[in-house]
């Protein structure tokens, strides 16, 4: 393996942190929120693939394929929901949707 | 024999059960007939058993407690002692049942009353006939329960219910000691059979037998209302009069004497136990007699006199004269039942007036009751040649024969008590029957007077079953000799005659003093004097030496104080409050956490990230 495993993990961690910051900071925007989640998922996939290469086992790669399938399904559903929510309140600010309050 | 014994027990049990289960649906006459028939049937069986009796016999009826080494079957033991007691109980209880039919004619709930009476008789018979200690304890507790329920029979008046509870709790104190003794007996002897324990007494060190004897004595003190557990008996007069007669005459309060007599082969090896029994008896005899001197309530006089007479029986057992004690027990059963039933007649005739000082002049108005009551009074006072005279003096003679400073002192105490007994007995007679007084006398049912007559005859001639040795050979002594070890020393005829003469003189002196103070016109002066508030020694004796007050101060007050402290401070102050605080805290925390779920997605996400950071941090820290 050319790139050391530590570097892969550091990159994945950085990506994850960026995604998390995106989720937490651009909270008024549902679309930015979804993008942040995608970035975090990509970070996780990177860690999986790196791990698979490190130990020479296919499990991590299989898992990242599953995540890809899952995220594509999720994004199609989530974008449909964003469109629907925008129709209801004329905004994509996440804090405006608090009907789920206990 | 097995059939007779089984029937003796089962008939009263059957009568009681039937009355308890279906008695309320039956007509009153049938209830009464059922109860009386059960007891008289038991008496017939007892008489047949008496006729067929040859030698002591153990009859196994059924198995009961059995576990590993421990066995306590329902086994009955018939020996002369239990045989004479059984005959006496069934006979006296039969008479009391018939009397109760007349006495309770106007009262409600006859089924409950007669069911309890029958159960009472059943429990007494179990107690008498039991072959092992657990079965005896069953009967022992049975009479305790029945007396509790019957003393508080008129429970709608709180005073009566309290008297019942007091009787129950006070006797329970003694029963606890007795229960410990029973368990210890098994640990020591590996058996609960009374006859076997009695034979194995010599195997144990004297100290152990002494401790065991003191435990049994404590049980006997509670049941027999001996000093210091005597406070319940005067209050037990709250029950209907036939119940009082049943408690006092048959084997409720005398159960303690019976127990000590039954176990006397075991305890006669321990002089400390015998001395303790004798001292308890003599002190109680004196205590009861002094308290009876000044009572105003008719039935309380009789109650204190019972305490005193049972003291004599205990004194007899303590002096080793078990035969004399049993003799007194039998004769006392007859004349005390007679006195109670007579008192019941008087009380019923005067519309439930119980104050001695408001009675009078009943000599001519109720002649049958008067003469029967006189016979009972003569027995109680120990006038020769009644049954009470011979039985009491057999005990006194045995104590005198024992000799020594201790028994000499107890003999003196017994004589003092005899003098007082004679005095208070005739004080009662003069107050109730002498002079003029009650004008309006209610007519009692005939059956009540009729029941007095056999008892009066038995009380008067009862002495002839065990005449002193210088007159004739005592039948009871010979009959009981096979079963009881007589520890009493024997007096020469001359000495015995001297003791009898002294006792007779003492009884007559008491009668003379009573006549001097209450006879003729002086009676009216006494009644006037009694109207004043009692003071000094009178108040002291009237309140039973303030024993109730003493126990209140010594035990009940501290107990109440501790209970109230534990209730207010510990239960409410610590446990309840801490639980309330805990619940409040959890509620507040829940409300605080609930505010978190505000519905803002950003807050959720932030918390999620914080949680993740926390988990990561914890994992990382754990790794280090």
């Amino acid at each position: 393996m050319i790139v050391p495993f530590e570097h892969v993990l550091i990159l994945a961690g950085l990506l994850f942190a960026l995604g998390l910051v995106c989720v937490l900071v651009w909270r008024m925007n549902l679309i930015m929120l979804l993008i942040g989640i995608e970035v975090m998922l990509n970070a996780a996939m990177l860690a999986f693939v790196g791990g698979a290469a490190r130990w020479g086992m296919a499990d991590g790669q299989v898992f990242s394929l599953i995540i890809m399938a899952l995220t594509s399904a999720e994004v199609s559903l989530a974008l449909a929901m964003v469109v629907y929510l925008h129709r209801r309140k004329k905004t994509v600010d996440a804090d405006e949707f608090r009907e789920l309050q206990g | 024999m097995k059939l007779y014994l089984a029937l003796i027990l089962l008939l009263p049990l059957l009568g009681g059960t039937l009355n308890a289960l279906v008695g309320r649906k039956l007509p009153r006459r049938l209830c009464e007939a059922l109860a009386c028939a059960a007891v008289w049937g038991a008496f017939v069986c007892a008489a047949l058993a008496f006729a067929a009796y040859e030698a002591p016999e153990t009859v196994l009826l059924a198995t009961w407690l059995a576990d590993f080494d421990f066995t306590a079957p329902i086994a009955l033991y018939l020996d002369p002692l239990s045989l004479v007691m059984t005959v006496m109980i069934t006979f006296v209880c039969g008479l009391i049942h018939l009397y109760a039919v007349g006495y309770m004619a106007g009262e409600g709930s006859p089924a409950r009353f007669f069911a309890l009476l029958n159960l009472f008789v059943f429990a007494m018979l179990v107690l008498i006939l039991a072959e092992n200690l657990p079965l005896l304890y069953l009967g022992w507790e049975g009479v305790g329960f029945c007396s509790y329920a019957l003393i508080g029979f008129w429970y709608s008046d709180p005073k009566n219910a309290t008297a019942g509870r007091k009787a129950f709790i006070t006797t329970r104190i003694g029963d606890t000691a007795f229960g410990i003794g029973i368990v210890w007996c098994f640990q020591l002897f590996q058996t609960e059979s009374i006859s076997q324990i009695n034979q194995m007494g010599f195997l144990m060190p004297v100290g152990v037998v002494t401790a065991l004897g003191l435990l049994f004595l404590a049980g006997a003190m509670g049941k027999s209302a001996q000093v210091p557990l005597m406070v319940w008996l005067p209050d037990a007069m709250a029950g209907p009069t036939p119940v009082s007669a049943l408690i006092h005459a048959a084997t409720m309060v005398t159960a303690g004497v019976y127990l000590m007599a039954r176990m006397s082969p075991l305890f006669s090896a321990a002089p400390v136990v015998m001395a303790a029994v004798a001292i308890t008896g003599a002190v109680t005899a004196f205590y009861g007699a002094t308290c009876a001197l000044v009572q105003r309530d008719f039935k309380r006089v009789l109650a204190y006199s019972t305490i005193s007479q049972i003291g004599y029986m205990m004194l007899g057992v303590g002096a080793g004269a078990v035969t004399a004690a049993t003799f007194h027990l039998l004769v006392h059963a007859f004349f005390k039942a007679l006195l109670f039933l007579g008192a019941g007649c008087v009380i019923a005739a005067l519309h439930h007036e119980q104050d001695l000082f408001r009675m009078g002049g009943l000599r001519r108005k109720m002649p049958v009751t008067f003469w029967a009551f006189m016979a009972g009074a003569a027995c109680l006072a120990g006038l020769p040649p009644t049954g009470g005279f011979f039985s009491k003096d057999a005990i006194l003679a045995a104590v005198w024969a024992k000799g020594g400073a201790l028994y000499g002192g107890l003999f003196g105490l017994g004589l003092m008590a005899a003098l007082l007994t004679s005095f208070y007995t005739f004080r009662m007679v003069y107050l109730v029957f002498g002079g003029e007084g009650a004008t309006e006398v209610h007519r009692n049912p005939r059956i009540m007077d009729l029941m007095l007559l056999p008892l009066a005859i038995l009380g008067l001639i009862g002495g002839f079953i065990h005449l002193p040795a210088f007159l004739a050979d005592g039948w009871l002594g010979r009959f009981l000799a096979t079963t009881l070890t007589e520890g009493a020393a024997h007096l020469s005829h001359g000495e015995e005659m001297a003791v009898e003469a002294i006792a007779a003189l003492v009884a007559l002196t008491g009668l003379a003093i009573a006549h001097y103070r209450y006879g003729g016109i002086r009676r009216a002066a006494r009644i006037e004097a009694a109207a004043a508030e009692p003071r000094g020694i009178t108040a002291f004796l009237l309140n039973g030496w303030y024993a109730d007050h003493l126990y209140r101060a010594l035990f009940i007050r501290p107990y109440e104080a501790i209970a109230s402290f534990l209730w207010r401070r510990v239960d409410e102050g610590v446990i309840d409050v801490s639980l309330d605080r805990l619940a409040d805290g959890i509620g507040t925390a829940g409300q605080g956490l609930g505010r978190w779920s505000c519905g803002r997605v950003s807050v959720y996400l932030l918390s999620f990230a914080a949680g993740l950071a926390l988990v990561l941090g914890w994992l990382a820290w754990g790794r280090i």
Side-chain angles (χ1 to χ4, degrees):
Chain A
M1 196 165 154
I2 306 159
V3 185
F5 184 54
E6 284 78 19
H7 292 195
V8 176
L9 283 187
I10 289 167
L11 179 63
L14 280 173
L15 264 179
F16 190 87
L18 286 172
L20 190 63
V21 169
C22 177
V23 163
L24 292 180
V25 176
W26 275 282
R27 58 182 163 209
M28 51 271 298
N29 197 330
L30 271 175
I31 296 167
M32 287 308 286
L33 206 143
L34 284 171
I35 291 171
I37 290 171
E38 291 303 315
V39 171
M40 280 154 71
L41 283 168
N42 278 334
M45 271 193 286
L46 186 61
F48 270 122
V49 174
R54 165 76 176 76
W55 282 290
M57 291 173 77
D59 304 24
Q61 292 177 9
V62 172
F63 213 90
S64 58
L65 283 174
I66 291 175
I67 295 176
M68 275 180 212
L70 202 110
T71 43
S72 57
E74 178 238 319
V75 163
S76 58
L77 206 71
L79 284 175
M81 273 177 73
V82 169
V83 172
Y84 173 72
L85 288 171
H86 184 255
R87 258 197 221 147
R88 277 184 64 141
K89 293 218 169 173
K90 303 286 172 220
T91 175
V92 286
D93 185 351
D95 283 346
E96 287 300 315
F97 304 100
R98 53 176 71 178
E99 279 82 13
L100 280 175
Q101 181 182 5
Chain B
M1 193 57 82
K2 184 171 180 176
L3 177 72
Y4 294 150
L5 283 182
L7 279 179
I8 288 174
L9 284 187
L10 287 182
L11 281 174
L13 180 63
L14 187 73
T17 320
L18 273 181
N19 255 337
L21 292 180
V22 296
R24 277 155 38 125
K25 300 250 167 39
L26 298 178
R28 189 183 187 102
R29 279 285 160 222
L30 202 56
C31 276
E32 295 164 352
L34 195 65
C36 295
V39 179
W40 281 106
F43 172 68
V44 170
C45 291
L48 289 173
F50 188 79
Y53 177 80
E54 278 161 1
E57 207 173 326
T58 306
V59 176
L60 185 72
L61 285 187
T63 50
W64 188 34
L65 308 171
D67 197 15
F68 300 106
D69 297 343
F70 180 83
T71 49
I74 300 184
L76 306 181
Y77 183 64
L78 195 70
D79 69 346
L81 180 61
S82 55
L83 187 57
V84 290
M85 293 288 284
T86 309
V87 175
M88 180 276 279
I89 288 174
T90 47
F91 181 66
V92 172
C93 290
L95 292 180
I96 293 173
H97 271 67
L98 286 176
Y99 177 90
V101 171
Y103 190 86
M104 301 299 282
E107 299 288 342
S109 47
R112 178 161 64 96
F113 184 74
F114 283 103
L116 282 169
L117 277 196
N118 270 0
L119 280 183
F120 205 170
V121 177
F122 167 71
M124 286 177 194
L125 291 169
V126 170
L127 162 60
I128 295 300
L129 289 168
E131 202 272 334
N132 50 49
L133 286 171
L135 190 60
L136 189 148
Y137 200 62
L138 183 78
W140 184 274
E141 294 299 323
V143 292
F145 164 73
C146 291
S147 64
Y148 154 73
L150 283 169
I151 290 168
F153 180 71
W154 290 315
Y155 58 85
S156 49
D157 184 356
K159 196 173 110 292
N160 298 338
T162 310
R165 278 202 301 274
K166 186 174 177 185
F168 194 71
I169 293 168
T170 316
T171 54
R172 223 52 35 189
I173 296 169
D175 291 358
T176 310
F178 182 32
I180 295 169
I182 290 176
V183 177
W184 197 15
C185 264
F186 180 70
Q187 200 255 325
L188 288 175
F189 300 106
Q190 294 301 309
T191 176
E192 288 287 14
S193 158
I194 292 173
S195 42
Q196 285 179 29
I197 288 174
N198 276 337
Q199 283 162 14
M200 294 202 291
F202 65 91
L203 294 172
M204 292 297 145
V206 176
V208 172
V209 175
T210 304
L212 205 56
L214 293 179
L215 283 174
F216 276 59
L217 176 62
M221 276 173 182
K223 196 59 94 190
S224 293
Q226 300 293 291
V227 171
L229 294 176
M230 67 295 175
V231 288
W232 64 273
L233 194 57
D235 287 8
M237 295 298 102
T241 304
V243 173
S244 307
L246 211 54
I247 291 177
H248 288 253
T251 315
M252 160 78 198
V253 285
T254 48
V257 180
Y258 177 76
L259 176 71
M260 296 317 278
R262 246 279 166 261
M263 305 303 288
S264 62
L266 175 63
F267 298 137
S268 52
V272 178
V273 175
M274 298 310 263
V277 174
I279 292 170
T280 309
V283 170
T284 309
F286 183 70
Y287 166 84
T290 53
C291 292
L293 284 179
V294 297
Q295 298 297 319
R296 293 180 65 107
D297 187 312
F298 200 170
K299 283 170 77 181
R300 279 179 89 89
V301 178
L302 292 175
Y304 276 115
S305 99
T306 303
I307 295 180
S308 166
Q309 295 300 308
I310 292 171
Y312 275 115
M313 296 173 208
M314 284 295 220
L315 178 60
V317 174
V322 182
T323 308
T326 313
F327 180 31
H328 194 49
L329 199 164
L330 292 174
V331 179
H332 175 259
F334 295 130
F335 71 73
K336 189 48 67 74
L338 169 62
L339 287 172
F340 262 108
L341 299 187
C345 286
V346 170
I347 289 166
L350 297 179
H351 304 283
H352 291 273
E353 174 61 67
Q354 302 206 6
D355 192 343
L356 283 175
F357 290 98
R358 292 204 207 128
M359 296 176 179
L362 296 177
R363 187 176 64 251
R364 281 182 297 279
K365 293 206 177 81
M366 304 175 71
V368 181
T369 313
F370 169 64
W371 286 109
F373 196 87
M374 268 305 285
C379 284
L380 178 59
L383 293 186
T386 57
F389 170 73
F390 288 117
S391 60
K392 194 191 288 180
D393 298 336
I395 290 173
L396 288 176
V399 178
W400 178 247
K402 198 91 169 155
L406 173 68
Y407 284 94
L410 296 181
F411 176 75
L413 209 56
L415 269 190
M416 272 297 288
L419 177 68
L420 299 176
T421 305
S422 174
F423 172 69
Y424 73 69
T425 308
F426 286 101
R427 164 181 176 269
M428 193 162 63
V429 171
Y430 275 112
L431 282 174
V432 175
F433 294 100
E436 297 299 325
T439 48
E440 188 195 350
V441 173
H442 174 75
R443 240 186 96 70
N444 287 325
R446 263 189 86 72
I447 195 162
M448 290 168 68
D449 278 340
L450 278 180
M451 289 308 115
L452 301 179
L453 300 179
L455 288 172
I457 293 164
L458 278 173
L460 286 178
I461 64 162
F464 294 101
I465 60 171
H466 187 63
L467 284 174
F470 62 87
L471 280 176
D473 196 8
W475 169 80
L476 190 68
R478 261 187 297 120
F479 189 55
L480 293 177
T482 49
T483 170
L484 299 176
T485 38
E486 199 60 37
H490 283 286
L491 285 176
S492 69
H493 289 180
E495 258 186 300
E496 197 165 344
M497 242 191 271
V499 172
E500 303 255 315
I502 292 171
L505 200 67
V506 162
L508 289 172
T509 314
L511 170 61
I513 300 173
H515 181 75
Y516 174 71
R517 279 178 67 89
Y518 290 94
I521 48 165
R522 287 178 295 275
R523 183 178 172 280
R526 289 288 149 210
I527 290 176
E528 258 174 52
E533 190 69 18
R535 271 183 295 109
I537 186 93
T538 315
F540 177 70
L541 293 178
L542 194 62
N543 287 305
W545 294 20
Y546 289 119
D548 271 330
H549 296 68
L550 182 70
Y551 292 165
R552 179 159 289 281
L554 274 185
F555 302 111
I556 298 174
R557 285 272 163 72
Y559 180 79
E560 279 175 350
I562 292 171
S564 121
F565 173 79
L566 289 177
W567 170 34
R568 295 268 182 218
R569 293 286 153 79
V570 178
D571 187 38
E572 288 191 344
V574 177
I575 297 174
D576 284 6
V577 165
S578 63
L579 283 178
D580 285 353
R581 293 268 163 79
L582 189 67
D584 282 352
I586 289 175
T588 320
Q591 273 178 351
L593 287 174
R595 216 165 291 139
W596 212 341
S597 65
C598 55
R600 286 168 64 125
V601 178
S602 59
V603 176
Y604 292 172
L605 286 172
L606 205 62
S607 333
F608 178 69
L612 186 71
L614 223 79
V615 171
L616 281 177
W618 186 72
L619 284 174
W621 183 74
R623 182 69 52 83
I624 296 161

